[in-house]
Amino acid sequence: MPQFRQIIDEARAILPFTGAGISTECGIPDFRSPGGMWTKNRPIPFDEFLASQEARNESWRRRFAMGDEFGNAKPGRGHRALASLYRAGKVPAVVTQNIDNLHQASGIAPEHVVELHGNTTYALCMDCQQRYELSWVRSRMEAGNGCAPDCTACGGYITTATISFGQAMPDTAMRQAEALLLSCDLFLAIGSSLVVWPAAGFPLMAKRNGARLIIVNREPTDFDDIADLVVRGDIGTVFEPFVDDGSSTDVHRL
Ligand code: NAD
Ligand code: ZN
């Protein structure tokens, strides 16, 4: 921990890169957690979503079931520590694989949260990008015998603002992530197994560009060998000393 603190203190521009592990203490299971929501159902591939009304209905039913379970999640100590470092000017922005909106909820401005996989807390028309709130989709489904509604402006399909399996990575977010990566002097990988692209490419890119690399995860990753420091522990506990938001550091649980 003293070494962790020292590297954070010495850094001028820290780029946190976060995965599902930062949100587990908030009650949202990570990808690999046995029996978790994400592992119970086969993911609906993007082409199936496009091809079938029933796949769209099913995808929305799952989303609302998930919302009933995780909808009230609050930022955890990891999120709050990063928000504290952001306010202190050490963290210009956060790049995340998460879709849970908890970095924004912790006080980081939305334009400073780069979401590689999108955001599941609101919906968009796939054709004209019109925004819809989930409560609207839900009430339309309830009124329409469980049938997922289409865009009222253009008739396009409405989905949560996330990237599905089989869909391309969003260009703007990828460009922003790469620019941040190339301008940071410390790349801080938090709670990601670092096995999925592009997450698997980022640590090496940052290192090659001269940044230091810290990996915080309770399990080993393939990049531990090239890291300047590996902190093998619980994210909430590791980041608790960096929470500086004037409130108590109770773990938020659902
Ligand atoms: P992952 O499940 O592949 O890896 C999470 C890692 O975090 C694991 O290595 C695990 O050991 C570690 N971890 C979990 N809790 C921890 C804790 N308290 N302290 C320390 N380490 C902890 O997650 P990923 O790399 O983000 O990839 C999963 C994919 O699924 C992502 O693409 C993400 O978009 C999506 N997902 C998102 C959420 C979310 O938004 N909260 C949740 C689950 C999955
Ligand atoms: Zn539309």
Side-chain angles (χ1 to χ4, degrees), residues 23-39:
S23 297
T24 52
E25 80 168 13
C26 314
I28 307 172
D30 67 13
F31 199 61
R32 285 173 176 73
S33 140
M37 270 274 171
W38 303 75
T39 53

Side-chain angles (χ1 to χ4, degrees), residues 134-226:
L134 300 190
S135 53
W136 180 85
V137 177
R138 191 167 200 165
S139 60
R140 288 294 297 261
M141 271 186 84
E142 279 162 9
N145 284 328
C147 192
D150 296 331
C151 176
T152 54
C154 80
Y157 300 147
I158 298 172
T159 73
T160 54
T162 49
I163 305 302
S164 304
F165 287 86
Q167 216 180 347
M169 216 49 87
D171 281 346
T172 312
M174 276 302 287
R175 270 200 303 276
Q176 288 173 330
E178 281 167 17
L180 286 162
L181 198 139
L182 297 176
S183 59
C184 76
D185 61 359
L186 172 60
F187 186 89
L188 189 51
I190 306 166
S192 174
S193 50
L194 302 174
V195 289
V196 209
W197 189 86
F202 284 168
L204 194 59
M205 264 170 83
K207 270 301 274 188
R208 287 212 178 117
N209 194 54
R212 282 168 145 178
L213 170 64
I214 301 184
I215 296 175
V216 184
N217 211 57
R218 66 183 171 201
E219 282 174 340
T221 76
D222 289 348
F223 296 92
D224 290 1
D225 288 349
I226 63 161

Side-chain angles (χ1 to χ4, degrees), residues 21-22 25 76-78 233-241 243:
I22 196 171
E25 80 168 13
R77 292 169 292 180
D234 170 61
I235 291 162
T237 313
V238 170
F239 280 95
E240 181 158 351
V243 175

Side-chain angles (χ1 to χ4, degrees), residues 20-176:
I22 196 171
S23 297
T24 52
E25 80 168 13
C26 314
I28 307 172
D30 67 13
F31 199 61
R32 285 173 176 73
S33 140
M37 270 274 171
W38 303 75
T39 53
K40 266 185 214 154
N41 296 305
R42 177 184 68 93
I44 298 169
F46 187 54
D47 53 359
E48 220 170 285
F49 181 92
L50 294 181
S52 139
Q53 177 72 46
E54 181 43 35
R56 293 192 289 281
N57 299 348
E58 170 62 12
S59 147
W60 277 108
R61 278 195 298 272
R62 288 186 193 179
R63 175 62 189 86
F64 293 128
M66 193 177 99
D68 291 343
E69 210 168 321
F70 312 131
N72 296 321
K74 305 257 183 329
R77 292 169 292 180
H79 300 101
R80 292 166 57 209
L82 295 182
S84 302
L85 290 165
Y86 167 76
R87 278 191 300 273
K90 305 271 289 182
V91 164
V94 172
V95 176
T96 188
Q97 290 187 285
N98 295 344
I99 55 176
D100 56 23
N101 205 52
L102 290 179
H103 287 299
Q104 291 91 327
S106 74
I108 300 184
E111 63 271 27
H112 296 144
V113 181
V114 178
E115 297 174 312
L116 296 178
H117 295 166
N119 188 307
T120 190
T121 64
Y122 61 95
L124 291 174
C125 165
M126 289 175 53
D127 292 341
C128 73
Q129 305 298 308
Q130 163 130 346
R131 179 178 165 135
Y132 291 91
E133 299 314 316
L134 300 190
S135 53
W136 180 85
V137 177
R138 191 167 200 165
S139 60
R140 288 294 297 261
M141 271 186 84
E142 279 162 9
N145 284 328
C147 192
D150 296 331
C151 176
T152 54
C154 80
Y157 300 147
I158 298 172
T159 73
T160 54
T162 49
I163 305 302
S164 304
F165 287 86
Q167 216 180 347
M169 216 49 87
D171 281 346
T172 312
M174 276 302 287
R175 270 200 303 276
Q176 288 173 330

